Amino acid sequence: MNNKHTKTTTEFSNKKINMHLNRKLSAAIIAAFLFTLLFCFMPGIKESIPNFSIKKTSPHFIDLFPLYLLFFTPFFLIMGTLGTVIVDLLVSAFVKDRSKKIDFIMSFIFHAIFGLLMFEFGMMGVILIFIVDRILSIRKENYSYLYPLGCLVLSAIIGTLVYFIFTIV
């Protein structure tokens, strides 16, 4: 009987870890998409990047959206997901009480520290991941592996549509 209880507990904890990881992956994909949009519309982005050699007549780089999306999405998937998981582990190690307010503040502080390591663009990305992850955690949905996959496919479809629209125009 005890073996059955242990198996059920292990299955429950594995399911909870998978849902948590799927939420983190979804947050990273959504944050990468939002960061790409922000990156396309930020004024002065061309001047702030050294050796930026793309000559565009438009003040915004929305026509480069698919290229930025291809560049930022893997970075957010790897670094963003890994960083948020590490932050959650650090917060759980430092905060034994797990009150929501302290958890929120400590999580934000650790996210900010990780963001400072990646300079100004990294800080914006980390803040976006933090906000999106908090919104997704409030929703308390069961996140299966299909949710991050759907976010990734939707992001790719939108990037492709933007590419085709600006190639035609």
Side-chain angles (χ1 to χ4, degrees):
M1 182 103 177
N2 192 14
N3 187 21
K4 185 178 180 181
H5 177 69
T6 306
K7 184 179 177 185
T8 307
T9 306
T10 305
E11 287 174 1
F12 176 74
S13 65
N14 287 341
K15 186 176 180 181
K16 190 174 179 181
I17 289 170
N18 286 339
M19 284 183 355
H20 187 72
L21 189 60
N22 288 333
R23 189 188 82 221
K24 298 290 184 187
L25 286 169
S26 300
I29 293 167
I30 293 168
F33 183 81
L34 294 174
F35 185 79
T36 304
L37 281 176
L38 285 174
F39 197 77
C40 287
F41 288 105
M42 277 192 289
I45 195 71
K46 188 167 69 170
E47 293 81 21
S48 66
I49 300 175
N51 301 325
F52 194 79
S53 62
I54 299 173
K55 305 291 183 207
K56 290 289 174 186
T57 56
S58 144
H60 305 294
F61 296 107
I62 192 66
D63 45 345
L64 295 174
F65 177 78
L67 179 67
Y68 292 151
L69 195 60
L70 282 173
F71 176 73
F72 290 133
T73 301
F75 181 76
F76 272 76
L77 277 174
I78 295 168
M79 294 299 291
T81 305
L82 187 63
T84 55
V85 168
I86 290 171
V87 164
D88 282 352
L89 291 173
L90 286 172
V91 168
S92 66
F94 282 109
V95 181
K96 302 292 183 200
D97 195 10
R98 297 298 291 194
S99 72
K100 289 192 183 269
K101 188 174 185 179
I102 294 174
D103 183 47
F104 179 83
I105 292 169
M106 290 295 291
S107 182
F108 183 78
I109 289 170
F110 282 122
H111 274 90
I113 290 170
F114 275 109
L116 286 174
L117 296 175
M118 294 182 274
F119 306 108
E120 65 267 359
F121 294 124
M123 182 59 113
M124 287 188 322
V126 166
I127 289 172
L128 275 173
I129 286 181
F130 176 75
I131 292 169
V132 171
D133 187 41
R134 289 298 165 176
I135 290 171
L136 290 178
S137 70
I138 289 171
R139 289 183 53 202
K140 301 235 189 245
E141 254 183 52
N142 292 333
Y143 295 102
S144 71
Y145 67 93
L146 292 175
Y147 198 81
L149 186 64
C151 291
L152 191 61
V153 167
L154 184 63
S155 176
I157 289 171
I158 292 172
T160 306
L161 286 174
V162 168
Y163 174 74
F164 284 131
I165 288 171
F166 279 99
T167 332
I168 292 171
V169 174

